[in-house]
Amino acid sequence: MWPWQRGARLTIASPVVRDGDVIAVVVTDSPTGQLRSASCAAGC
């Protein structure tokens, strides 16, 4: 999955597990502009 729209954000959720139980979720929300620019520099 790659959000190509301008202004798009990449959101990733990861579970935090303790003793086999999910006790929390860590969410990372990042803009994708710099990632898109870096990949295009390598050859779009």
Side-chain angles (χ1 to χ4, degrees):
M1 181 172 142
W2 189 262
W4 288 108
Q5 300 85 5
R6 292 203 179 271
R9 301 185 71 81
L10 182 63
T11 303
I12 300 170
S14 301
V16 178
V17 180
R18 182 181 295 161
D19 297 328
D21 295 325
V22 176
I23 60 167
V25 176
V26 177
V27 178
T28 303
D29 182 41
S30 302
T32 60
Q34 290 181 338
L35 292 172
R36 190 170 38 253
S37 295
S39 66
C40 286
C44 276

